[in-house]
């Protein structure tokens, strides 16, 4: 219990004193995760919508595979990205290993199946409701996708927020491809792992509480801006 209290005190002290390292690490965490979520959403949301509308031979197999990929072990993803971006790998010439770009790539691979799967479930239910209307209006597939994506925007925002929640707490893949380099690739999760390894549990808990506060603030801000919860709506 004393460690938790010390962690809370450390978190508030870091915030109140405007600790430069804390803000640098927090901004880098936000940058990496937000960028990965935007890219994953740009891929996953249309993919989930397309799978809800399109009928083809191996559709069920693709959906089952996508759902299975939601459980990808992050460390395995990190290892694969590491091998691809290493000097001996096919993309080693770009020099992306141990950079924020490598961390973003790993997170995109982890988050895209999650966002696409949630989007597919939401759009599939919406398509069942809108099917007869959109068919009777003789709309094109593109028009149907745009309509469903717009009308399901609140559910799709939830999918992106779920991706953000998983991404902001990711440590395994980030540690492998980023290397936890101070002032370069160190983020909140890797800093917590470092401080825990050093035995500084109070500081590690402090950083952990900052990570929780950061995730809550970002989610509340997005809900506020998008008005996902308005008066009179359950």
């Amino acid at each position: 219990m004393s460690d938790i209290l010390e962690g809370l005190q450390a978190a508030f002290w870091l915030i109140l004193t405007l600790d430069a390292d804390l803000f640098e690490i927090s901004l880098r965490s936000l940058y990496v995760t937000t960028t990965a979520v935007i890219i994953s959403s740009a891929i996953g949301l249309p993919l989930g919508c397309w799978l809800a509308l399109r009928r083809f031979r191996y559709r069920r197999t693709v959906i089952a595979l996508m759902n299975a990929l939601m459980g990808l072990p992050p460390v395995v993803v990190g290892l694969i990205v590491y091998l691809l971006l290493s000097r001996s790998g096919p993309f080693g010439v770009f020099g992306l290993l141990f950079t924020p770009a490598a961390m973003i790539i790993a997170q995109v691979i982890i988050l895209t199946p999650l966002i696409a799967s949630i989007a597919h479930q939401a759009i599939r239910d919406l398509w069942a409701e809108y099917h007869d209307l959109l068919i009777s209006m003789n709309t094109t597939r593109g028009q149907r996708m745009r309509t469903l994506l717009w009308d399901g925007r609140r559910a799709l925002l939830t999918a992106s927020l779920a991706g953000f929640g998983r991404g902001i707490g990711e440590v395994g893949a980030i540690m492998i491809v980023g290397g936890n380099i101070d002032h370069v690739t160190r983020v909140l999760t890797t800093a917590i792992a470092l401080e825990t390894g050093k035995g500084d549990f109070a500081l590690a808990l402090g950083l952990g509480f900052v990570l929780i506060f950061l995730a809550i603030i970002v989610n509340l801000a997005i809900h506020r801006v998008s008005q996902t919860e308005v008066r009179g709506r359950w």
Side-chain angles (χ1 to χ4, degrees), residues 42-204:
I43 299 171
L45 297 182
L47 176 60
C49 185
W50 182 78
L51 286 173
L53 297 178
R54 182 69 171 168
R55 296 294 184 270
F56 52 94
R57 185 174 182 181
Y58 297 106
R59 174 175 173 271
R60 293 180 182 274
T61 303
V62 172
I63 293 173
L65 180 62
M66 182 180 66
N67 292 335
L69 291 176
M70 290 174 59
L72 273 175
V75 290
V76 176
V77 174
L79 176 59
I80 293 173
V81 174
Y82 180 93
L83 294 175
L84 291 174
L85 299 182
S86 64
R87 289 189 176 182
S88 59
F91 304 108
V93 66
F94 297 108
L96 296 177
L97 194 62
F98 302 133
T99 66
M103 299 158 70
I104 292 171
I105 291 171
Q107 285 207 357
V108 167
I109 295 174
I110 294 171
L111 301 182
T112 298
L114 172 65
I115 294 176
S117 182
I118 297 176
H120 169 257
Q121 295 291 333
I123 296 299
R124 186 183 64 179
D125 295 339
L126 201 59
W127 174 235
E129 179 181 350
Y130 280 57
H131 178 272
D132 294 339
L133 175 62
L134 292 176
I135 293 294
S136 65
M137 294 176 64
N138 197 28
T139 55
T140 64
R141 184 174 291 112
Q143 290 173 328
R144 296 169 192 171
M145 287 185 64
R146 287 193 295 270
T147 300
L148 293 174
L149 286 172
W150 175 252
D151 284 1
R153 60 191 181 277
R154 290 187 174 88
L156 299 180
L157 176 63
T158 301
S160 296
L161 287 176
F164 180 86
R166 180 172 182 183
I168 196 69
E170 173 53 40
V171 60
I174 295 298
M175 185 79 78
I176 293 174
V177 302
N180 196 22
I181 303 171
D182 195 17
H183 302 299
V184 179
T185 59
R186 182 164 297 166
V187 292
L188 283 170
T189 51
T190 56
I192 292 170
L194 176 66
E195 297 303 329
T196 301
K198 291 163 57 177
D200 194 345
F201 299 112
L203 181 55

